[in-house]
Amino acid sequence: MFTITELSNERINSIVTEALAFANGKSAKIEGEVFCSNLFFEDSTRTKTSFDIAERKLGLQVVPFDASNSSVNKGESLYDTVKTIESLGVNLVVIRDKKDRYFDELNDIKIPIINGGDGTGNHPSQCMLDLMTIYQEFGKFEGLKIGIVGDVKHSRVANSNAEALRRLGAKVYFSGPEQWFDEGALINGTYLSVDEMIKDVDVLMLLRIQHERHDAKMSFSASEYHRKYGLTKEREKAMKKEAIIMHPAPINRGVEIDDDLVECERSRVFKQMQNGVFARMAILKEALEKEGYTFK
Amino acid sequence: MFTITELSNERINSIVTEALAFANGKSAKIEGEVFCSNLFFEDSTRTKTSFDIAERKLGLQVVPFDASNSSVNKGESLYDTVKTIESLGVNLVVIRDKKDRYFDELNDIKIPIINGGDGTGNHPSQCMLDLMTIYQEFGKFEGLKIGIVGDVKHSRVANSNAEALRRLGAKVYFSGPEQWFDEGALINGTYLSVDEMIKDVDVLMLLRIQHERHDAKMSFSASEYHRKYGLTKEREKAMKKEAIIMHPAPINRGVEIDDDLVECERSRVFKQMQNGVFARMAILKEALEKEGYTFK
Amino acid sequence: MFTITELSNERINSIVTEALAFANGKSAKIEGEVFCSNLFFEDSTRTKTSFDIAERKLGLQVVPFDASNSSVNKGESLYDTVKTIESLGVNLVVIRDKKDRYFDELNDIKIPIINGGDGTGNHPSQCMLDLMTIYQEFGKFEGLKIGIVGDVKHSRVANSNAEALRRLGAKVYFSGPEQWFDEGALINGTYLSVDEMIKDVDVLMLLRIQHERHDAKMSFSASEYHRKYGLTKEREKAMKKEAIIMHPAPINRGVEIDDDLVECERSRVFKQMQNGVFARMAILKEALEKEGYTFK
């Protein structure tokens, strides 16, 4: 699985359903001895650990791979590295790489590849866990109002989510510093001010401020961002009774969201992490079943 | 388990007894699928590997965690990182951190936390393995004479050991460069010169010289330290017949102890490492049983 | 196992036979709980991962070891580090180190040590997988003509292979830049020009150009090397019908070998990686059986 775009609504629904089954206690163990490896060429402890646990829960053997010491750093191509891992007998890989659509050069790899995030493009497993968290709450996507606040244009998560949610019948709104929005960022939703958006949405998705990306063009401080676009205590009070708050983490406390709200009643931030393992189990299981592996 | 201070004598005795049972061949495997992770934000291959093996011997699934790539380095708080690991479904964590009493900010974490060492404060699993090694040798603590040589003030190990041994009825003596001792360092024992101490003690615990900490104030060279305070071949001959030598390792050979004595008959240096796995098994098992997990 | 020199022809044949059995689907699982660890003080993801998978396939528990954080970097001797790992209860170690014949200082270690490569000296597991790949193809060593192209003098692989193949009855030829060859490099074979060699050999072994080692003395560019000594499309056409191409990887595509030939019909490059796991299984099993461990 590389992108959300390639997934039909049916397939999304099927993965969400399986993920919810895992969340509700279903277990599945692969039959036989199956090896997988997580090739993370960009740091992401959270996503890597989530995949690692999902793989172990499915009974896979996880072969460690240290990207920082790999031959890729000595100039070997990604293709040759993955082909090597495949030759060594690994049966499935999860890959995260800084390069957009890195998977386009991996067509000749025969084992399943799960996209753990590519550049600023796609992050389908994060998207699936977000969808699952929303469905778990509301039992549907159709007709929901979703607000996404932050740098939509540079966010893997926001792009995938907005596209999938729109296709599944939800209405998507965006907010954040206006200079971050152009036509490209508004394909799947409409721009609103934070205060207009907040009182109307069922789901408020806050994106992480990528200090590392914006240092140059960010014309405002962290506290200014919080005051203008962040979820303050006042704004939280304006939200609808059943509305929930989501954030892909790691959170900049006091920037995207008030410190005290991170674990408030309507926050699903840590629930998302919990769901991430179940969503990834569903994604891995689907990929392995397609290859003929069976589970008991 | 965070500190030795919090452990009653009864609990210490119970853990030592269980650790000795493991050393004598007892095995225990946890029932069900239980995940743990070792979050070492300060390097310590020895302690980390010891916990890792203890965990595997108990049948736990060890989820790798690479602190150097974690979000903690991107400014995430320790609390948020540990809360994330908990949310991902990890059932127990071992933590080592440079910060004294890092665990004070982790009160809201629900899964058991084992202290793998904090700052210069506590290192309870090292203490338990030292106590176990002494008990294994003498069958008691009461009335034993223990000599500790080195920078007691800055040593996690020395502080915990001295406190526990005193409480368990042993008599503790300290030695080393006098400028390293002040009132704070002498709460649990009495200062003696190395040569006075050495002929009288049942257990001689040598501490590692922390070159990194003393470079500035160390007014003597490594060979000078060895001559004045180290265990030379001459001093070893002055020891009582049944007395043993201990060292937490890694050893500076020829500094704290003569190269040829590291594996001499009365040295328990590598025995301590071996015991470390059993002591940690006992600590982990106690923590897990308290949570309702069972072993077979 | 430290060097190929210490292996009798009988032992080589026995390991190759076992490795081929594994390649043909034989499985072997160790009885009881056995721990191993891969101590790689020099980076080599490929070799480390290959050992890791071989170990798991044999049912060993692989204890992670991060050399970059180990006490060796704080001045601890290799002996003390390995003795520590042994004391912690690890039953077998694979070691790779930059130092030639590092194993000479490890005589007092009681657990089996498998050499994963030392300095520029020995790399016996790579040698065994190469021998296995050749035997798999031709069913014999006697009478085969083997051509090795590259910096034989500085190559662990080339030295071990040339010695073993000569002893097993093959005829070895070397080629590459003449300044890389002196008497020391020609003990086990004869120098030929690439074009003379290529039309005559059954096996063409290409060595990796070690840019890092030759930068100073390399008086030719990568493309010049390719043209003068590399396997170009023209040269490949001059090879005998049944002849095969081997390379220890990672490959510098377009230098040692034309990009399009890496996966050509007569290339065994990825087959070698696949065989590496089976060769290492055979090596590990032999070492463990010698210690009294049994497999089912």
Side-chain angles (χ1 to χ4, degrees):
Chain A
M1 181 193 295
F2 298 134
T3 70
I4 283 295
T5 308
E6 82 194 44
L7 290 184
S8 66
N9 289 2
E10 288 66 34
R11 228 174 122 197
I12 291 177
N13 280 320
S14 152
I15 292 171
V16 166
T17 304
E18 185 77 329
L20 287 169
F22 285 130
N24 291 327
K26 174 175 174 171
S27 90
K29 294 284 178 199
I30 201 159
E31 299 195 271
E33 190 172 57
V34 181
F35 293 89
C36 65
S37 197
N38 301 310
L39 317 183
F40 275 54
F41 300 100
E42 186 183 45
D43 289 347
S44 176
T45 300
R46 192 179 315 269
T47 304
K48 191 176 184 180
T49 306
S50 181
F51 269 111
D52 193 295
I53 294 176
E55 289 154 357
R56 287 166 200 265
K57 288 199 177 226
L58 291 174
L60 300 173
Q61 298 236 32
V62 187
V63 177
F65 178 84
D66 181 0
S68 62
N69 292 335
S70 82
S71 300
V72 167
N73 290 338
K74 299 178 197 156
E76 196 182 47
S77 71
L78 180 64
Y79 172 79
D80 280 348
T81 299
V82 180
K83 180 81 184 165
T84 297
I85 296 292
E86 179 186 42
S87 302
L88 292 173
V90 171
N91 306 104
L92 175 148
V93 288
V94 179
I95 302 180
R96 182 180 195 122
D97 198 79
K98 278 180 181 155
K99 193 179 165 190
D100 279 0
R101 298 190 62 86
Y102 65 78
F103 40 81
D104 285 343
E105 54 190 275
L106 300 178
N107 291 325
D108 291 343
I109 302 297
K110 306 252 175 356
I111 55 173
I113 299 169
I114 307 292
N115 186 5
D118 63 290
T120 55
N122 303 282
H123 193 10
S125 70
Q126 175 74 38
C127 183
M128 292 310 302
L129 79 88
D130 287 339
L131 293 176
M132 171 197 176
T133 303
I134 294 170
Y135 194 89
Q136 194 175 40
E137 201 68 36
F138 300 99
K140 60 167 185 179
F141 297 110
E142 185 73 40
L144 290 180
K145 291 179 181 171
I146 316 285
I148 305 181
V149 184
D151 184 7
V152 172
K153 199 175 170 189
H154 290 101
S155 163
R156 286 190 280 239
V157 176
N159 282 305
S160 297
N161 278 341
E163 179 195 325
L165 285 162
R166 184 181 54 72
R167 273 170 41 198
L168 290 161
K171 182 95 184 122
V172 179
Y173 304 97
F174 297 124
S175 196
E178 294 199 35
Q179 65 265 43
W180 289 356
F181 289 87
D182 56 17
E183 273 182 49
L186 294 172
I187 293 176
N188 294 297
T190 317
Y191 185 86
L192 286 181
S193 78
V194 171
D195 291 296
E196 283 175 289
M197 171 197 278
I198 219 141
K199 57 183 200 295
D200 205 35
V201 294
D202 301 294
V203 177
L204 181 67
M205 305 182 93
L206 306 169
L207 304 182
R208 175 176 168 79
I209 296 305
Q210 310 273 2
H211 291 299
E212 49 280 20
R213 288 209 178 97
H214 291 298
D215 266 0
K217 32 176 181 155
M218 243 171 93
S219 47
F220 37 77
S221 66
S223 66
E224 209 178 331
Y225 182 91
H226 185 60
R227 192 171 49 76
K228 283 193 182 165
Y229 312 104
L231 186 62
T232 59
K233 288 202 182 78
E234 290 67 38
R235 290 199 179 105
E236 189 270 338
K237 283 181 196 136
M239 290 177 75
K240 292 202 291 189
K241 188 164 177 296
E242 308 293 339
I244 61 170
I245 302 164
M246 295 173 68
H247 189 297
I251 289 175
N252 296 303
R253 284 172 179 261
V255 184
E256 297 102 51
I257 181 170
D258 185 282
D259 196 357
D260 292 341
L261 296 177
V262 173
E263 295 185 58
C264 74
E265 213 181 323
R266 60 167 98 241
S267 165
R268 295 296 176 271
V269 176
F270 291 107
K271 187 76 181 178
Q272 284 170 274
M273 295 179 203
Q274 200 181 323
N275 283 340
V277 173
F278 303 124
R280 288 170 180 121
M281 287 173 76
I283 291 168
L284 290 160
K285 182 161 172 277
E286 189 213 35
L288 288 161
E289 283 178 335
K290 212 175 139 194
E291 296 295 303
Y293 295 98
T294 54
F295 291 79
K296 63 185 170 208
Chain B
M1 180 193 294
F2 298 135
T3 70
I4 283 296
T5 308
E6 82 194 42
L7 290 184
S8 67
N9 289 1
E10 289 66 32
R11 229 175 121 198
I12 291 178
N13 280 320
S14 153
I15 292 171
V16 166
T17 304
E18 184 77 330
L20 287 169
F22 285 129
N24 291 327
K26 174 175 173 171
S27 90
K29 293 286 177 198
I30 202 158
E31 299 195 270
E33 188 172 59
V34 181
F35 293 90
C36 65
S37 196
N38 302 310
L39 317 184
F40 275 54
F41 300 101
E42 187 183 45
D43 290 346
S44 177
T45 301
R46 193 178 313 269
T47 304
K48 191 176 184 181
T49 305
S50 182
F51 269 112
D52 193 295
I53 294 176
E55 290 154 357
R56 287 165 200 265
K57 287 198 178 227
L58 291 174
L60 299 173
Q61 298 236 31
V62 187
V63 177
F65 178 84
D66 180 2
S68 63
N69 292 335
S70 83
S71 300
V72 167
N73 290 338
K74 298 178 198 158
E76 195 182 48
S77 71
L78 181 63
Y79 172 79
D80 280 347
T81 299
V82 180
K83 179 80 183 167
T84 297
I85 296 293
E86 180 186 40
S87 302
L88 292 174
V90 170
N91 306 104
L92 175 148
V93 287
V94 179
I95 302 180
R96 182 180 196 122
D97 198 80
K98 278 181 180 152
K99 192 178 167 194
D100 279 2
R101 298 191 63 83
Y102 66 78
F103 40 81
D104 285 342
E105 54 189 276
L106 300 179
N107 291 325
D108 292 342
I109 301 297
K110 306 254 176 352
I111 55 172
I113 299 169
I114 306 292
N115 186 4
D118 64 289
T120 56
N122 303 281
H123 193 10
S125 69
Q126 175 74 38
C127 183
M128 292 311 301
L129 80 87
D130 287 339
L131 294 176
M132 171 197 175
T133 303
I134 294 170
Y135 194 91
Q136 193 175 40
E137 201 70 34
F138 300 99
K140 60 167 187 181
F141 297 111
E142 186 72 42
L144 290 180
K145 291 178 181 171
I146 317 285
I148 305 181
V149 183
D151 184 6
V152 173
K153 200 177 169 187
H154 290 100
S155 163
R156 285 189 279 239
V157 176
N159 282 305
S160 298
N161 278 342
E163 179 196 325
L165 285 162
R166 185 183 53 74
R167 273 170 42 200
L168 290 161
K171 182 93 184 124
V172 179
Y173 303 98
F174 296 124
S175 196
E178 295 200 35
Q179 63 266 42
W180 290 356
F181 289 86
D182 55 17
E183 274 181 49
L186 294 171
I187 294 175
N188 294 296
T190 316
Y191 185 86
L192 286 181
S193 78
V194 171
D195 292 297
E196 282 175 290
M197 171 197 278
I198 219 142
K199 58 183 198 294
D200 206 33
V201 294
D202 301 294
V203 177
L204 182 66
M205 304 182 94
L206 306 169
L207 304 182
R208 174 176 169 80
I209 297 305
Q210 310 273 1
H211 291 298
E212 49 280 22
R213 287 208 178 96
H214 291 298
D215 267 0
K217 31 176 181 157
M218 246 172 89
S219 46
F220 36 77
S221 65
S223 67
E224 210 178 331
Y225 183 91
H226 184 61
R227 192 172 49 76
K228 283 193 182 165
Y229 312 104
L231 187 62
T232 58
K233 288 201 182 79
E234 291 66 40
R235 289 200 179 104
E236 189 270 339
K237 284 180 194 135
M239 290 177 75
K240 292 201 291 189
K241 186 165 179 296
E242 308 293 338
I244 61 170
I245 302 164
M246 294 172 69
H247 189 296
I251 289 173
N252 296 303
R253 285 172 178 261
V255 184
E256 299 102 50
I257 181 169
D258 185 282
D259 196 357
D260 292 341
L261 296 177
V262 173
E263 295 184 60
C264 75
E265 212 182 324
R266 59 167 99 241
S267 164
R268 295 295 175 271
V269 176
F270 290 106
K271 187 78 180 175
Q272 284 170 274
M273 295 180 203
Q274 199 181 324
N275 283 340
V277 172
F278 302 124
R280 288 170 180 121
M281 287 173 77
I283 291 168
L284 290 161
K285 181 161 173 277
E286 190 213 34
L288 288 161
E289 282 178 336
K290 212 175 139 195
E291 296 295 305
Y293 294 99
T294 54
F295 290 79
K296 65 188 168 205
Chain C
M1 180 194 294
F2 299 134
T3 69
I4 284 295
T5 308
E6 82 193 45
L7 291 184
S8 66
N9 289 1
E10 288 67 34
R11 230 175 120 199
I12 291 178
N13 280 319
S14 152
I15 292 171
V16 166
T17 305
E18 185 77 329
L20 286 170
F22 286 129
N24 291 326
K26 174 175 174 171
S27 90
K29 294 284 178 198
I30 201 158
E31 300 195 269
E33 190 172 57
V34 180
F35 293 90
C36 66
S37 197
N38 302 310
L39 317 184
F40 275 54
F41 300 101
E42 187 183 44
D43 290 346
S44 177
T45 300
R46 193 179 313 269
T47 304
K48 191 176 183 180
T49 305
S50 181
F51 269 112
D52 194 294
I53 293 175
E55 290 154 358
R56 288 166 199 264
K57 287 197 177 227
L58 291 174
L60 299 172
Q61 298 236 32
V62 186
V63 177
F65 178 83
D66 181 1
S68 63
N69 292 334
S70 83
S71 300
V72 167
N73 290 337
K74 299 177 197 159
E76 195 182 49
S77 71
L78 180 64
Y79 172 79
D80 280 347
T81 299
V82 180
K83 180 81 184 164
T84 297
I85 296 293
E86 180 186 40
S87 301
L88 293 173
V90 170
N91 306 104
L92 175 148
V93 288
V94 178
I95 302 180
R96 182 181 195 121
D97 198 79
K98 277 180 181 153
K99 192 179 166 190
D100 278 2
R101 298 190 63 84
Y102 66 77
F103 40 81
D104 285 343
E105 54 189 276
L106 300 179
N107 290 325
D108 291 343
I109 301 297
K110 307 253 175 353
I111 55 173
I113 299 170
I114 306 292
N115 186 5
D118 65 290
T120 55
N122 303 281
H123 193 10
S125 69
Q126 174 75 39
C127 183
M128 291 311 301
L129 80 87
D130 286 339
L131 294 176
M132 171 198 176
T133 303
I134 294 170
Y135 195 90
Q136 195 175 39
E137 201 70 34
F138 299 99
K140 61 167 187 180
F141 298 110
E142 187 72 42
L144 290 179
K145 292 180 181 171
I146 317 284
I148 305 181
V149 183
D151 184 6
V152 172
K153 200 176 170 188
H154 290 102
S155 163
R156 286 188 280 239
V157 176
N159 282 304
S160 297
N161 278 342
E163 179 196 325
L165 285 162
R166 185 182 52 75
R167 274 170 41 200
L168 291 161
K171 182 95 184 121
V172 179
Y173 303 97
F174 297 125
S175 197
E178 295 200 37
Q179 64 264 43
W180 290 356
F181 290 86
D182 55 17
E183 275 182 47
L186 294 171
I187 293 176
N188 294 296
T190 316
Y191 185 86
L192 287 181
S193 78
V194 171
D195 292 296
E196 283 175 290
M197 171 197 277
I198 220 141
K199 58 183 199 295
D200 205 35
V201 295
D202 302 294
V203 177
L204 182 66
M205 305 182 93
L206 305 170
L207 305 182
R208 174 176 170 78
I209 297 305
Q210 310 273 1
H211 291 299
E212 49 281 21
R213 288 208 178 97
H214 291 299
D215 267 0
K217 30 175 180 156
M218 246 172 90
S219 47
F220 37 77
S221 65
S223 67
E224 209 178 331
Y225 181 91
H226 184 61
R227 191 171 50 76
K228 283 193 181 163
Y229 313 104
L231 186 62
T232 58
K233 288 200 182 80
E234 290 67 40
R235 289 199 180 103
E236 189 270 338
K237 283 179 196 137
M239 290 177 74
K240 292 202 292 189
K241 185 164 178 298
E242 307 293 339
I244 61 170
I245 303 164
M246 295 173 67
H247 190 296
I251 289 174
N252 296 304
R253 284 172 179 262
V255 184
E256 298 103 53
I257 181 169
D258 185 282
D259 196 356
D260 292 342
L261 296 176
V262 173
E263 296 184 58
C264 74
E265 213 183 324
R266 58 168 98 241
S267 164
R268 295 295 175 273
V269 176
F270 291 107
K271 186 77 180 177
Q272 283 170 276
M273 295 180 203
Q274 199 182 324
N275 283 341
V277 173
F278 302 124
R280 288 170 180 122
M281 287 173 76
I283 291 167
L284 290 161
K285 181 160 173 276
E286 190 212 33
L288 288 161
E289 282 178 334
K290 212 175 139 195
E291 296 294 304
Y293 294 99
T294 53
F295 289 80
K296 65 188 167 205

